[in-house]
Amino acid sequence: MRIFEMIVIVAVLAVTAGVMWTKKSRRLDILMLLAVMIALVLHGTLENHRIQMAPAYAAVLGLLTILGFRLVKRQRLDQRKRYAKLWKSLLLILVLLLSGVSVYASRLLPMFTLPEPTGSYAIGTIARELTDEKREETLTPQAGDKRKLMVNVWYPADPGQTEGKPKEHYPSALGEAISLVFGLPKQLFSQVTDIPTHVVDGVKLSAQEASYPVLLFSPGIRSTRFQSMSIIEELVSHGYIVVGIDHPYTSAKVTYPYGASVYYVPDPKFNTSAELYNYNVSGITIRAADASFVLDTLTAWNTQDPNGLFQGRLDLSRAGIFGHSYGGATTAEALAQDKRFKAGVSLEGGFWGKVAHEGLTQPFMYVMSGTTAQHLAHPEASTEPLIYEEFTPDLKSVMSRSTRDTYYLTVDQFIHQSFTDIALLSPSLFANGLDPVHTVDISRTYTRSFFDQYLKEEPQKLLNGPSAEYPEVTFDPAYTYKRP
């Protein structure tokens, strides 16, 4: 809990005790009323209110009402004292219950701090709408609409450029995405907008290097480009430019600069696995084309950048792509379709499209969660959406047909969403017994090590096999091949 949240709880309990067990005094009532009001105002002003504290706010309102009546209502001599003990007991029970619920809810969904990136660069960003005039949108109700993406470009900056400047916070889109994925009210996650990242908007690109390797990031279905900021910040701090993509109609919500929003459209129901498989092939083909279009745009910016930031500074000979879930599937198919991507990481994605039949000609790392691996071992009993009957044959096909190095890692105790920042948002619900900082450190460290080795040509000991620092990670020898 934050400091002033704790102060509100302490004030509520102290004033309750004062109402119940001290002799009635007008001066004391005024002091108690001011105490809870000041605590609430300071909390709201310095920290912002949040829904997890709503029960405590209700307790504050109740106490203010009681104190207000005590101040304006004259004591009646014939008051029935036999009821005093009853209402005081009820008051105590109610206040303890409300305060306890707030404390529990605040610990369940805490105000977390993103782990510090380990690199030397600070982090800048810009957000842009990109319209592909060559492609029509397939799901829009408006005929003739073009495919419109929203991207954030996160890039290395000099620490002096960001020092003392306001940091970007997680957007509300993250809370809405979590709500959509887990089927919970989005108000439960409204506090994410109060959590700062390490990113500063619009600062200059660092001049420390002449150009920087570029990575594209594709999020999961019903998710957002902001879902894995811990990985993105780590990569940028080590000298990568990362472009996060929101894909209309498969991302949770895509909001454009002019205020319009496009929302996730649920998949239709299919009678057979083959029908769903073919539908996913079509969907991933669209997202892979999004990735290629973004790379086209970056190529144009490298020649003439309307943003005034990236002209001549993008090393597109060292372009890679990574993604989670549906974004992992997007990664694999983008690698198969567009050889300009030189390496890729799939964080528990599927294989739909060309990649399943032809394999890859670029280095590729696949990372699977331990829980999904368990479901995969018993597919007949699993309801996990990633577990579909074509997955294992496609995985074998991709890994055996690929002509460059492939890695297949499994992370024990990970769940499907562990590759996002979800463990930080609620360790109790989503860390699955792991330390939440260690959870995100696994994802960000292995992702960076892979790209450092294959885009920066810096050999990484971490990719050679098991690590004492990350004992949860195992390498599957059946699919991990170092090819000459």
PDB file of all heavy atoms in Angstrom, residues 360-386:
ATOM      1  N   LEU A 360      12.132 -21.719 -41.172  1.00  0.00           N
ATOM      2  CA  LEU A 360      12.714 -20.375 -41.178  1.00  0.00           C
ATOM      3  C   LEU A 360      14.162 -20.406 -41.647  1.00  0.00           C
ATOM      4  O   LEU A 360      14.865 -21.409 -41.465  1.00  0.00           O
ATOM      5  CB  LEU A 360      12.645 -19.760 -39.779  1.00  0.00           C
ATOM      6  CG  LEU A 360      11.236 -19.521 -39.213  1.00  0.00           C
ATOM      7  CD1 LEU A 360      11.312 -19.148 -37.740  1.00  0.00           C
ATOM      8  CD2 LEU A 360      10.521 -18.439 -40.010  1.00  0.00           C
ATOM      9  N   THR A 361      14.572 -19.302 -42.204  1.00  0.00           N
ATOM     10  CA  THR A 361      15.970 -19.145 -42.618  1.00  0.00           C
ATOM     11  C   THR A 361      16.702 -18.156 -41.716  1.00  0.00           C
ATOM     12  O   THR A 361      17.835 -17.780 -42.011  1.00  0.00           O
ATOM     13  CB  THR A 361      16.047 -18.660 -44.076  1.00  0.00           C
ATOM     14  OG1 THR A 361      15.352 -17.408 -44.194  1.00  0.00           O
ATOM     15  CG2 THR A 361      15.416 -19.673 -45.019  1.00  0.00           C
ATOM     16  N   GLN A 362      16.042 -17.708 -40.631  1.00  0.00           N
ATOM     17  CA  GLN A 362      16.651 -16.790 -39.674  1.00  0.00           C
ATOM     18  C   GLN A 362      16.719 -17.462 -38.301  1.00  0.00           C
ATOM     19  O   GLN A 362      15.921 -18.350 -38.000  1.00  0.00           O
ATOM     20  CB  GLN A 362      15.827 -15.490 -39.555  1.00  0.00           C
ATOM     21  CG  GLN A 362      15.517 -14.805 -40.870  1.00  0.00           C
ATOM     22  CD  GLN A 362      14.114 -15.117 -41.358  1.00  0.00           C
ATOM     23  OE1 GLN A 362      13.681 -16.283 -41.327  1.00  0.00           O
ATOM     24  NE2 GLN A 362      13.398 -14.086 -41.792  1.00  0.00           N
ATOM     25  N   PRO A 363      17.658 -17.033 -37.452  1.00  0.00           N
ATOM     26  CA  PRO A 363      17.690 -17.549 -36.078  1.00  0.00           C
ATOM     27  C   PRO A 363      16.356 -17.284 -35.380  1.00  0.00           C
ATOM     28  O   PRO A 363      15.754 -16.216 -35.539  1.00  0.00           O
ATOM     29  CB  PRO A 363      18.825 -16.756 -35.429  1.00  0.00           C
ATOM     30  CG  PRO A 363      19.687 -16.324 -36.558  1.00  0.00           C
ATOM     31  CD  PRO A 363      18.757 -16.090 -37.716  1.00  0.00           C
ATOM     32  N   PHE A 364      15.930 -18.273 -34.570  1.00  0.00           N
ATOM     33  CA  PHE A 364      14.592 -18.205 -33.981  1.00  0.00           C
ATOM     34  C   PHE A 364      14.621 -18.836 -32.593  1.00  0.00           C
ATOM     35  O   PHE A 364      15.209 -19.908 -32.390  1.00  0.00           O
ATOM     36  CB  PHE A 364      13.599 -18.957 -34.868  1.00  0.00           C
ATOM     37  CG  PHE A 364      12.197 -19.038 -34.333  1.00  0.00           C
ATOM     38  CD1 PHE A 364      11.430 -17.895 -34.197  1.00  0.00           C
ATOM     39  CD2 PHE A 364      11.643 -20.270 -33.975  1.00  0.00           C
ATOM     40  CE1 PHE A 364      10.120 -17.973 -33.715  1.00  0.00           C
ATOM     41  CE2 PHE A 364      10.344 -20.348 -33.490  1.00  0.00           C
ATOM     42  CZ  PHE A 364       9.579 -19.198 -33.364  1.00  0.00           C
ATOM     43  N   MET A 365      13.993 -18.160 -31.640  1.00  0.00           N
ATOM     44  CA  MET A 365      13.866 -18.704 -30.288  1.00  0.00           C
ATOM     45  C   MET A 365      12.399 -18.761 -29.902  1.00  0.00           C
ATOM     46  O   MET A 365      11.676 -17.774 -30.048  1.00  0.00           O
ATOM     47  CB  MET A 365      14.638 -17.855 -29.265  1.00  0.00           C
ATOM     48  CG  MET A 365      14.586 -18.427 -27.840  1.00  0.00           C
ATOM     49  SD  MET A 365      15.779 -17.666 -26.700  1.00  0.00           S
ATOM     50  CE  MET A 365      14.988 -16.071 -26.405  1.00  0.00           C
ATOM     51  N   TYR A 366      11.995 -19.920 -29.395  1.00  0.00           N
ATOM     52  CA  TYR A 366      10.628 -20.110 -28.908  1.00  0.00           C
ATOM     53  C   TYR A 366      10.694 -20.353 -27.403  1.00  0.00           C
ATOM     54  O   TYR A 366      11.475 -21.188 -26.936  1.00  0.00           O
ATOM     55  CB  TYR A 366       9.968 -21.308 -29.593  1.00  0.00           C
ATOM     56  CG  TYR A 366       8.495 -21.440 -29.295  1.00  0.00           C
ATOM     57  CD1 TYR A 366       7.542 -20.930 -30.167  1.00  0.00           C
ATOM     58  CD2 TYR A 366       8.042 -22.043 -28.113  1.00  0.00           C
ATOM     59  CE1 TYR A 366       6.183 -21.027 -29.888  1.00  0.00           C
ATOM     60  CE2 TYR A 366       6.699 -22.138 -27.831  1.00  0.00           C
ATOM     61  CZ  TYR A 366       5.768 -21.626 -28.720  1.00  0.00           C
ATOM     62  OH  TYR A 366       4.433 -21.704 -28.434  1.00  0.00           O
ATOM     63  N   VAL A 367       9.870 -19.623 -26.648  1.00  0.00           N
ATOM     64  CA  VAL A 367       9.841 -19.771 -25.196  1.00  0.00           C
ATOM     65  C   VAL A 367       8.420 -20.145 -24.777  1.00  0.00           C
ATOM     66  O   VAL A 367       7.457 -19.441 -25.112  1.00  0.00           O
ATOM     67  CB  VAL A 367      10.280 -18.480 -24.476  1.00  0.00           C
ATOM     68  CG1 VAL A 367      10.474 -18.766 -22.981  1.00  0.00           C
ATOM     69  CG2 VAL A 367      11.566 -17.922 -25.075  1.00  0.00           C
ATOM     70  N   MET A 368       8.297 -21.238 -24.064  1.00  0.00           N
ATOM     71  CA  MET A 368       6.989 -21.736 -23.623  1.00  0.00           C
ATOM     72  C   MET A 368       6.909 -21.722 -22.103  1.00  0.00           C
ATOM     73  O   MET A 368       7.898 -21.940 -21.406  1.00  0.00           O
ATOM     74  CB  MET A 368       6.754 -23.153 -24.134  1.00  0.00           C
ATOM     75  CG  MET A 368       5.477 -23.802 -23.617  1.00  0.00           C
ATOM     76  SD  MET A 368       5.032 -25.320 -24.496  1.00  0.00           S
ATOM     77  CE  MET A 368       4.213 -24.627 -25.941  1.00  0.00           C
ATOM     78  N   SER A 369       5.705 -21.458 -21.588  1.00  0.00           N
ATOM     79  CA  SER A 369       5.495 -21.488 -20.145  1.00  0.00           C
ATOM     80  C   SER A 369       5.374 -22.927 -19.665  1.00  0.00           C
ATOM     81  O   SER A 369       4.925 -23.816 -20.399  1.00  0.00           O
ATOM     82  CB  SER A 369       4.230 -20.715 -19.774  1.00  0.00           C
ATOM     83  OG  SER A 369       3.069 -21.391 -20.222  1.00  0.00           O
ATOM     84  N   GLY A 370       5.758 -23.139 -18.406  1.00  0.00           N
ATOM     85  CA  GLY A 370       5.674 -24.472 -17.834  1.00  0.00           C
ATOM     86  C   GLY A 370       4.259 -25.002 -17.771  1.00  0.00           C
ATOM     87  O   GLY A 370       4.016 -26.195 -18.011  1.00  0.00           O
ATOM     88  N   THR A 371       3.299 -24.129 -17.465  1.00  0.00           N
ATOM     89  CA  THR A 371       1.909 -24.598 -17.371  1.00  0.00           C
ATOM     90  C   THR A 371       1.368 -25.010 -18.731  1.00  0.00           C
ATOM     91  O   THR A 371       0.661 -26.016 -18.842  1.00  0.00           O
ATOM     92  CB  THR A 371       1.014 -23.510 -16.750  1.00  0.00           C
ATOM     93  OG1 THR A 371       1.154 -22.292 -17.485  1.00  0.00           O
ATOM     94  CG2 THR A 371       1.376 -23.257 -15.307  1.00  0.00           C
ATOM     95  N   THR A 372       1.708 -24.266 -19.772  1.00  0.00           N
ATOM     96  CA  THR A 372       1.255 -24.654 -21.105  1.00  0.00           C
ATOM     97  C   THR A 372       1.929 -25.942 -21.548  1.00  0.00           C
ATOM     98  O   THR A 372       1.314 -26.788 -22.206  1.00  0.00           O
ATOM     99  CB  THR A 372       1.534 -23.535 -22.119  1.00  0.00           C
ATOM    100  OG1 THR A 372       0.843 -22.349 -21.710  1.00  0.00           O
ATOM    101  CG2 THR A 372       1.043 -23.912 -23.510  1.00  0.00           C
ATOM    102  N   ALA A 373       3.198 -26.108 -21.183  1.00  0.00           N
ATOM    103  CA  ALA A 373       3.891 -27.359 -21.513  1.00  0.00           C
ATOM    104  C   ALA A 373       3.195 -28.550 -20.872  1.00  0.00           C
ATOM    105  O   ALA A 373       3.083 -29.629 -21.481  1.00  0.00           O
ATOM    106  CB  ALA A 373       5.342 -27.276 -21.052  1.00  0.00           C
ATOM    107  N   GLN A 374       2.707 -28.373 -19.648  1.00  0.00           N
ATOM    108  CA  GLN A 374       1.972 -29.450 -18.982  1.00  0.00           C
ATOM    109  C   GLN A 374       0.674 -29.755 -19.718  1.00  0.00           C
ATOM    110  O   GLN A 374       0.306 -30.923 -19.898  1.00  0.00           O
ATOM    111  CB  GLN A 374       1.688 -29.066 -17.539  1.00  0.00           C
ATOM    112  CG  GLN A 374       2.931 -29.000 -16.657  1.00  0.00           C
ATOM    113  CD  GLN A 374       2.644 -28.447 -15.273  1.00  0.00           C
ATOM    114  OE1 GLN A 374       1.491 -28.190 -14.916  1.00  0.00           O
ATOM    115  NE2 GLN A 374       3.686 -28.259 -14.484  1.00  0.00           N
ATOM    116  N   HIS A 375      -0.022 -28.702 -20.139  1.00  0.00           N
ATOM    117  CA  HIS A 375      -1.256 -28.916 -20.916  1.00  0.00           C
ATOM    118  C   HIS A 375      -0.940 -29.606 -22.238  1.00  0.00           C
ATOM    119  O   HIS A 375      -1.706 -30.455 -22.713  1.00  0.00           O
ATOM    120  CB  HIS A 375      -1.946 -27.578 -21.182  1.00  0.00           C
ATOM    121  CG  HIS A 375      -2.588 -26.968 -19.981  1.00  0.00           C
ATOM    122  ND1 HIS A 375      -3.621 -27.555 -19.299  1.00  0.00           N
ATOM    123  CD2 HIS A 375      -2.349 -25.800 -19.332  1.00  0.00           C
ATOM    124  CE1 HIS A 375      -3.999 -26.806 -18.282  1.00  0.00           C
ATOM    125  NE2 HIS A 375      -3.238 -25.729 -18.283  1.00  0.00           N
ATOM    126  N   LEU A 376       0.182 -29.230 -22.832  1.00  0.00           N
ATOM    127  CA  LEU A 376       0.560 -29.810 -24.121  1.00  0.00           C
ATOM    128  C   LEU A 376       0.845 -31.299 -23.998  1.00  0.00           C
ATOM    129  O   LEU A 376       0.603 -32.077 -24.920  1.00  0.00           O
ATOM    130  CB  LEU A 376       1.788 -29.082 -24.667  1.00  0.00           C
ATOM    131  CG  LEU A 376       2.143 -29.295 -26.137  1.00  0.00           C
ATOM    132  CD1 LEU A 376       1.014 -28.814 -27.030  1.00  0.00           C
ATOM    133  CD2 LEU A 376       3.438 -28.580 -26.478  1.00  0.00           C
ATOM    134  N   ALA A 377       1.323 -31.702 -22.824  1.00  0.00           N
ATOM    135  CA  ALA A 377       1.610 -33.115 -22.595  1.00  0.00           C
ATOM    136  C   ALA A 377       0.333 -33.940 -22.490  1.00  0.00           C
ATOM    137  O   ALA A 377       0.347 -35.156 -22.698  1.00  0.00           O
ATOM    138  CB  ALA A 377       2.446 -33.274 -21.331  1.00  0.00           C
ATOM    139  N   HIS A 378      -0.772 -33.265 -22.157  1.00  0.00           N
ATOM    140  CA  HIS A 378      -2.074 -33.948 -22.038  1.00  0.00           C
ATOM    141  C   HIS A 378      -3.134 -33.127 -22.776  1.00  0.00           C
ATOM    142  O   HIS A 378      -4.063 -32.604 -22.164  1.00  0.00           O
ATOM    143  CB  HIS A 378      -2.447 -34.125 -20.570  1.00  0.00           C
ATOM    144  CG  HIS A 378      -1.420 -34.861 -19.770  1.00  0.00           C
ATOM    145  ND1 HIS A 378      -1.281 -36.226 -19.820  1.00  0.00           N
ATOM    146  CD2 HIS A 378      -0.468 -34.403 -18.915  1.00  0.00           C
ATOM    147  CE1 HIS A 378      -0.292 -36.597 -19.018  1.00  0.00           C
ATOM    148  NE2 HIS A 378       0.222 -35.510 -18.462  1.00  0.00           N
ATOM    149  N   PRO A 379      -3.030 -33.025 -24.087  1.00  0.00           N
ATOM    150  CA  PRO A 379      -3.930 -32.149 -24.856  1.00  0.00           C
ATOM    151  C   PRO A 379      -5.390 -32.564 -24.785  1.00  0.00           C
ATOM    152  O   PRO A 379      -6.280 -31.727 -24.920  1.00  0.00           O
ATOM    153  CB  PRO A 379      -3.390 -32.258 -26.284  1.00  0.00           C
ATOM    154  CG  PRO A 379      -2.652 -33.562 -26.318  1.00  0.00           C
ATOM    155  CD  PRO A 379      -2.080 -33.731 -24.952  1.00  0.00           C
ATOM    156  N   GLU A 380      -5.644 -33.841 -24.565  1.00  0.00           N
ATOM    157  CA  GLU A 380      -7.032 -34.316 -24.540  1.00  0.00           C
ATOM    158  C   GLU A 380      -7.802 -33.736 -23.362  1.00  0.00           C
ATOM    159  O   GLU A 380      -9.041 -33.641 -23.401  1.00  0.00           O
ATOM    160  CB  GLU A 380      -7.067 -35.849 -24.481  1.00  0.00           C
ATOM    161  CG  GLU A 380      -6.577 -36.465 -23.160  1.00  0.00           C
ATOM    162  CD  GLU A 380      -5.071 -36.457 -22.977  1.00  0.00           C
ATOM    163  OE1 GLU A 380      -4.362 -36.127 -23.955  1.00  0.00           O
ATOM    164  OE2 GLU A 380      -4.608 -36.771 -21.864  1.00  0.00           O
ATOM    165  N   ALA A 381      -7.076 -33.311 -22.310  1.00  0.00           N
ATOM    166  CA  ALA A 381      -7.741 -32.779 -21.113  1.00  0.00           C
ATOM    167  C   ALA A 381      -7.619 -31.277 -21.000  1.00  0.00           C
ATOM    168  O   ALA A 381      -8.038 -30.690 -20.004  1.00  0.00           O
ATOM    169  CB  ALA A 381      -7.146 -33.426 -19.862  1.00  0.00           C
ATOM    170  N   SER A 382      -7.065 -30.629 -22.021  1.00  0.00           N
ATOM    171  CA  SER A 382      -6.779 -29.204 -21.922  1.00  0.00           C
ATOM    172  C   SER A 382      -7.820 -28.358 -22.641  1.00  0.00           C
ATOM    173  O   SER A 382      -8.335 -28.731 -23.695  1.00  0.00           O
ATOM    174  CB  SER A 382      -5.399 -28.898 -22.512  1.00  0.00           C
ATOM    175  OG  SER A 382      -5.147 -27.517 -22.479  1.00  0.00           O
ATOM    176  N   THR A 383      -8.112 -27.201 -22.048  1.00  0.00           N
ATOM    177  CA  THR A 383      -8.989 -26.221 -22.694  1.00  0.00           C
ATOM    178  C   THR A 383      -8.205 -24.964 -23.066  1.00  0.00           C
ATOM    179  O   THR A 383      -8.800 -23.966 -23.451  1.00  0.00           O
ATOM    180  CB  THR A 383     -10.148 -25.836 -21.747  1.00  0.00           C
ATOM    181  OG1 THR A 383      -9.604 -25.301 -20.515  1.00  0.00           O
ATOM    182  CG2 THR A 383     -11.016 -27.035 -21.438  1.00  0.00           C
ATOM    183  N   GLU A 384      -6.875 -25.005 -22.931  1.00  0.00           N
ATOM    184  CA  GLU A 384      -6.051 -23.849 -23.279  1.00  0.00           C
ATOM    185  C   GLU A 384      -6.181 -23.558 -24.774  1.00  0.00           C
ATOM    186  O   GLU A 384      -6.046 -24.461 -25.604  1.00  0.00           O
ATOM    187  CB  GLU A 384      -4.583 -24.114 -22.940  1.00  0.00           C
ATOM    188  CG  GLU A 384      -4.273 -24.086 -21.458  1.00  0.00           C
ATOM    189  CD  GLU A 384      -4.382 -22.684 -20.894  1.00  0.00           C
ATOM    190  OE1 GLU A 384      -3.820 -21.749 -21.466  1.00  0.00           O
ATOM    191  OE2 GLU A 384      -5.064 -22.533 -19.863  1.00  0.00           O
ATOM    192  N   PRO A 385      -6.427 -22.270 -25.163  1.00  0.00           N
ATOM    193  CA  PRO A 385      -6.586 -21.954 -26.587  1.00  0.00           C
ATOM    194  C   PRO A 385      -5.327 -22.213 -27.404  1.00  0.00           C
ATOM    195  O   PRO A 385      -5.403 -22.458 -28.604  1.00  0.00           O
ATOM    196  CB  PRO A 385      -6.949 -20.462 -26.579  1.00  0.00           C
ATOM    197  CG  PRO A 385      -6.609 -19.946 -25.223  1.00  0.00           C
ATOM    198  CD  PRO A 385      -6.659 -21.101 -24.299  1.00  0.00           C
ATOM    199  N   LEU A 386      -4.139 -22.151 -26.764  1.00  0.00           N
ATOM    200  CA  LEU A 386      -2.920 -22.413 -27.519  1.00  0.00           C
ATOM    201  C   LEU A 386      -2.790 -23.892 -27.868  1.00  0.00           C
ATOM    202  O   LEU A 386      -2.097 -24.266 -28.809  1.00  0.00           O
ATOM    203  CB  LEU A 386      -1.699 -21.964 -26.709  1.00  0.00           C
ATOM    204  CG  LEU A 386      -0.345 -22.093 -27.411  1.00  0.00           C
ATOM    205  CD1 LEU A 386      -0.276 -21.157 -28.619  1.00  0.00           C
ATOM    206  CD2 LEU A 386       0.804 -21.797 -26.460  1.00  0.00           C
TER     207      LEU A 386
END
